Amino acid sequence: MSRSQEELEEAYYSESNTDMRNHWYPLITSATLIKDKPLGQHILGDPIVLYRDVVSGEALAFADKCPHRSAPLSVGRIMDGKLECRYHGWQFDGTGVCSKVPSSNKIPGNAKLRKYPTAEVDGFIWVFPGDVTKVEGAAKPGIYFATKRDWVQRSGCEVLDIDSSLLNENFLDPAHLPFTHDTTIGKRENSTIMNITCDFIDKTQEGHGIGIEGLVSQPERPDLMKIQQKFHFLPPCIVSLDFGGLGDQTFYSVPTKKGHCHFIYSQRWSFLQKAEQFYLGRVILDWYNPSYVRKILMEDYEMLKGQQERLAVGANAMNSPVQADLMIKTYRNWWRKVMKREDGGPWFAGYSSDMEDIMLEDMPRRGGPPKGSFVKHRNSKSDA
């Protein structure tokens, strides 16, 4: 039985729907993680270390903190198939349990690492930063598309010093295209009155919870409406754009740290499918597609970086909203609920409330409120 818009709206802002921890996140491309070398990353502020099992090649993720002296394991080594801390040579196996302490014949019982569930799907390494008992109830890792199409998709990752919330808002804002992107995907002369609907949608069957769907119309320019633009936002960080028979795009603004994110993108375009069938066509797209995506993104970057700097010193995210801002406003209201959760919100709050005597400015503290490159892309057939 379908739920009413009023019921869906209530569910959209609920505690369960604003939980950003219990989700799978595509963090890096598979090609980024090489064998024999650990890699330090962050997810929701959690410092984590990833490496590949030397036998199976499986991607593994652990808390990036040695249980001995809290040194970062990401600057360590892979020795004898184990993750080795470079400080004192302690080694940890694929379950996170310490298997060797060179300076002692006894291994402390608490010498083990927090292990994060991982998966390798659609050319990305996915990490689950939440409660491991809730993994089964989460949407399975894999790039989300609103429409099933057996088209070749092109994907990639960019590392940005932009907050994920601002990037999500940017992708839900079609009114900026004629101006910010007037030299790439937009045209200044196409700017006109824009009407946007924003309905709540139920994606709980797929594990994605309650999201929003926006439709764009430009009544003064019917010539621009040959292709219906459909926008989806799904928690925790998915924005999907569907352009009918022309193609579609899915963006994951993965929150790595406050003010930082990984921009994961995957695109499928009808006019490129023939080129994908030929070696030369794929070679050209291998060169052209990532550079063009980056060019478009950098047009956004200049605006978003300046906006973020102003928000950091007290500016409002939205001062004079208009009708074209409806999707942004609805997303921003959801984000505010995320930040005001009873559990303190999704961000890493420190390892312990019993802080040592070294306190650095702006570092998170558990128990109190927190202070305010292109990566090689891939080609694959979508199994969405």
Side-chain angles (χ1 to χ4, degrees):
M1 181 178 179
S2 61
R3 290 187 277 180
S4 67
Q5 282 294 296
E6 289 75 16
E7 292 171 323
L8 290 175
E9 180 177 8
E10 182 178 358
Y12 176 70
Y13 295 116
S14 67
E15 281 286 302
S16 61
N17 207 59
T18 54
D19 174 11
M20 291 187 66
R21 278 272 165 183
N22 293 304
H23 293 271
W24 286 98
Y25 289 89
L27 187 59
I28 56 174
T29 63
S30 294
T32 304
L33 190 63
I34 61 175
K35 284 189 176 183
D36 302 325
K37 188 175 182 181
L39 177 68
Q41 294 286 312
H42 288 82
I43 182 69
L44 289 169
D46 291 14
I48 64 174
V49 56
L50 298 100
Y51 73 96
R52 288 194 181 277
D53 183 278
V54 296
V55 177
S56 67
E58 178 188 3
L60 303 173
F62 299 95
D64 191 11
K65 180 179 74 70
C66 181
H68 178 213
R69 296 289 309 281
S70 297
L73 293 166
S74 56
V75 299
R77 311 175 181 90
I78 306 301
M79 294 294 293
D80 304 321
K82 309 288 177 52
L83 176 62
E84 181 181 276
C85 180
R86 211 174 81 190
Y87 204 3
H88 298 92
W90 289 31
Q91 292 183 357
F92 303 88
D93 64 22
T95 67
V97 174
C98 183
S99 58
K100 182 179 180 180
V101 177
S103 60
S104 174
N105 57 14
K106 184 179 180 181
I107 299 176
N110 64 347
K112 52 188 175 183
L113 310 173
R114 175 188 173 183
K115 186 175 183 179
Y116 290 74
T118 55
E120 200 156 354
V121 182
D122 284 343
F124 293 97
I125 294 172
W126 301 66
V127 177
F128 188 90
D131 182 347
V132 294
T133 65
K134 296 183 179 181
V135 170
E136 294 301 320
K140 295 185 182 303
I143 297 297
Y144 169 86
F145 283 105
T147 304
K148 292 184 178 181
R149 295 185 174 105
D150 188 22
W151 289 357
V152 176
Q153 63 191 59
R154 288 186 165 265
S155 305
C157 171
E158 293 280 352
V159 178
L160 299 173
D161 56 345
I162 298 293
D163 197 78
S164 65
S165 64
L166 295 182
L167 202 58
N168 281 326
E169 290 178 353
N170 180 73
F171 296 140
L172 293 170
D173 181 13
H176 84 284
L177 296 176
F179 303 101
T180 306
H181 302 294
D182 63 335
T183 62
T184 53
I185 56 175
K187 292 182 179 180
R188 187 181 183 88
E189 58 268 27
N190 287 344
S191 175
T192 182
I193 299 298
M194 186 173 288
N195 294 330
I196 294 179
T197 64
C198 186
D199 293 320
F200 298 98
I201 54 175
D202 190 347
K203 294 289 182 177
T204 52
Q205 291 294 324
E206 298 98 320
H208 289 292
I210 310 301
I212 58 175
E213 177 179 275
L215 299 177
V216 180
S217 64
Q218 294 169 279
E220 295 182 356
R221 290 290 303 276
D223 57 305
L224 299 177
M225 298 309 299
K226 296 176 182 178
I227 299 173
Q228 176 66 69
Q229 301 176 52
K230 181 167 66 176
F231 294 72
H232 280 180
F233 163 70
L234 298 175
C237 63
I238 303 172
V239 174
S240 175
L241 314 180
D242 193 292
F243 305 98
L246 182 63
D248 48 17
Q249 301 172 294
T250 295
F251 305 138
Y252 288 75
S253 301
V254 179
T256 52
K257 297 186 292 184
K258 289 185 177 182
H260 298 260
C261 72
H262 286 185
F263 168 53
I264 304 292
Y265 65 88
S266 195
Q267 306 170 319
R268 306 180 300 183
W269 300 112
S270 60
F271 55 86
L272 295 179
Q273 297 307 301
K274 285 188 177 180
E276 296 283 8
Q277 298 174 17
F278 301 98
Y279 173 76
L280 182 59
R282 293 192 295 271
V283 169
I284 293 173
L285 290 173
D286 285 347
W287 164 76
Y288 181 75
N289 189 72
S291 61
Y292 192 62
V293 169
R294 175 178 283 176
K295 181 178 181 180
I296 296 169
L297 184 63
M298 289 303 102
E299 291 174 337
D300 288 316
Y301 177 85
E302 190 174 13
M303 296 296 103
L304 296 176
K305 186 64 175 176
Q307 184 185 20
Q308 180 165 283
E309 291 170 352
R310 284 152 182 78
L311 293 178
V313 290
N316 293 323
M318 184 171 292
N319 300 285
S320 306
V322 296
Q323 207 280 332
D325 298 324
L326 183 57
M327 284 188 291
I328 306 170
K329 184 178 179 181
T330 309
Y331 167 79
R332 172 60 58 173
N333 288 339
W334 176 86
W335 181 252
R336 288 194 178 105
K337 289 284 187 179
V338 170
M339 292 296 102
K340 295 179 180 178
R341 285 173 55 86
E342 292 182 1
D343 60 10
W347 295 109
F348 177 67
Y351 295 107
S352 170
S353 58
D354 182 18
M355 304 297 284
E356 290 285 354
D357 57 354
I358 300 176
M359 284 296 296
L360 305 179
E361 186 179 357
D362 296 328
M363 292 298 289
R365 180 168 189 149
R366 185 172 294 278
K371 297 181 179 180
S373 72
F374 176 72
V375 179
K376 191 174 182 180
H377 69 281
R378 69 182 184 89
N379 302 333
S380 74
K381 287 265 187 176
S382 170
D383 56 2

